[in-house]
Amino acid sequence: GVWSGYISYYPWGFGLQNKCYDQTLSTVKLVEDEVKVLANKTADAVKFTITLRRTNSSYESPKFSLASFALESTSYAYPVDMSSLTTEVVHSVPKLYQQIVPSIGNSICSPTTSTMLLKYKGENFSQFDEYEHRYIALKFREYNSMLFGNWVYNTVGMSSFGYNTYVARMYSIEELVEHLANVGPVGLSVKGQMTSDKKDYYTGGHLIVGIGYRYIDGDLYIVCNDPNVPEVECMYSYTVMRNTWRNVAYIIE
């Protein structure tokens, strides 16, 4: 029944060393990229304020096309008729291996995922850096924590190239499959034992690109570009994806 003050993601501009700070107010807090209601509080509404600013009238005005809020819900359901979908869809997404990048390669799974999604849309950054994902990583980094994996900063970063991009929550593999079939590839936040046909490893937090799906002997596999796999493209079983995907996705339209 009472609005909190505003939590801010702070100014963001492409090419700036953007910073964000954790904040705690009377009812909510911002922790890296997630807004959380305090443990002893409840909330039933969200209010946005969007500020567009330029520092010089000679600069092109910023353009606003989308605001979104990815709510975590215990009652959400999105039934999917799997029988209506084609049995195999695999999008041709350029492959990037994060570990090839010197120094920061082991920590740039998120911007590497974002770079693959942008390249799928036709973008090319080879004129800026021999490692295109390093170029994007330094643009999308959150320079307070120095982390590359801020979900909001990665999606707003992709949006600066003219696409509607946002963080979304999905609640089933079937919902993901429908998106892959009808919309396109997505970034997927995963955690746990990543056992594919190419590599087996554990991660405490990682981003991969879901590029499609296929059935093998009646079993469903999600085809992915995993930037931590040297071959990049690999397949994860339905069970592995169900156990590791955190139901968070980077959407690019």
Side-chain angles (χ1 to χ4, degrees):
V2 178
W3 289 111
S4 74
Y6 280 106
I7 279 176
S8 173
Y9 281 99
Y10 284 79
W12 192 96
F14 183 77
L16 305 181
Q17 291 192 355
N18 305 282
K19 296 180 179 181
C20 192
Y21 300 88
D22 290 357
Q23 302 142 66
T24 301
L25 303 179
S26 58
T27 56
V28 294
K29 61 183 178 179
L30 179 68
V31 181
E32 293 182 1
D33 42 22
E34 293 184 280
V35 178
K36 299 176 179 288
V37 180
L38 299 186
N40 61 337
K41 303 291 184 179
T42 59
D44 57 15
V46 177
K47 183 188 293 185
F48 292 92
T49 291
I50 309 295
T51 302
L52 305 181
R53 182 179 291 118
R54 56 180 174 170
T55 57
N56 189 306
S57 61
S58 66
Y59 299 157
E60 184 181 0
S61 295
K63 296 179 176 63
F64 173 72
S65 64
L66 175 73
S68 70
F69 200 93
L71 291 169
E72 185 173 12
S73 172
T74 57
S75 59
Y76 172 81
Y78 184 82
V80 175
D81 179 10
M82 295 288 282
S83 66
S84 67
L85 303 177
T86 184
T87 56
E88 179 172 328
V89 171
V90 179
H91 301 281
S92 181
V93 178
K95 301 173 179 61
L96 291 172
Y97 180 45
Q98 70 182 83
Q99 303 292 356
I100 199 173
V101 178
S103 179
I104 61 174
N106 64 345
S107 59
I108 60 169
C109 58
S110 185
T112 301
T113 289
S114 298
T115 307
M116 285 191 276
L117 291 172
L118 287 169
K119 287 178 66 61
Y120 169 76
K121 288 293 190 178
E123 304 297 332
N124 187 310
F125 313 106
S126 58
Q127 70 271 35
F128 303 113
D129 195 324
E130 63 175 315
Y131 302 115
E132 295 179 77
H133 37 333
R134 178 170 61 186
Y135 170 77
I136 290 297
L138 296 175
K139 299 297 185 186
F140 292 4
R141 189 177 202 172
E142 195 277 286
Y143 278 85
N144 174 44
S145 66
M146 300 302 286
L147 295 175
F148 292 103
N150 187 293
W151 295 339
V152 171
Y153 277 26
N154 271 266
T155 50
V156 75
M158 288 189 283
S159 77
S160 63
F161 292 92
Y163 307 101
N164 278 346
T165 58
Y166 51 96
V167 179
R169 287 189 181 272
M170 301 180 189
Y171 286 86
S172 71
I173 301 299
E174 290 75 14
E175 185 179 357
L176 169 61
V177 167
E178 184 189 54
H179 186 97
L180 292 168
N182 295 329
V183 182
V186 296
L188 302 173
S189 177
V190 295
K191 179 181 180 179
Q193 196 67 38
M194 303 301 296
T195 303
S196 72
D197 60 326
K198 300 291 177 59
K199 185 177 179 178
D200 187 14
Y201 66 96
Y202 179 85
T203 177
H206 186 48
L207 264 292
I208 63 178
V209 182
I211 67 171
Y213 63 91
R214 63 169 55 101
Y215 288 87
I216 299 177
D217 296 330
D219 295 324
L220 176 64
Y221 290 81
I222 305 300
V223 185
C224 297
N225 277 4
D226 186 335
N228 192 43
V229 172
E231 301 91 338
V232 184
E233 185 175 322
C234 60
M235 293 190 301
Y236 288 106
S237 69
Y238 181 98
T239 300
V240 169
M241 288 302 301
R242 183 187 61 199
N243 291 339
T244 60
W245 181 37
R246 300 168 70 189
N247 301 109
V248 170
Y250 292 177
I251 307 297
I252 186 167
E253 297 178 351

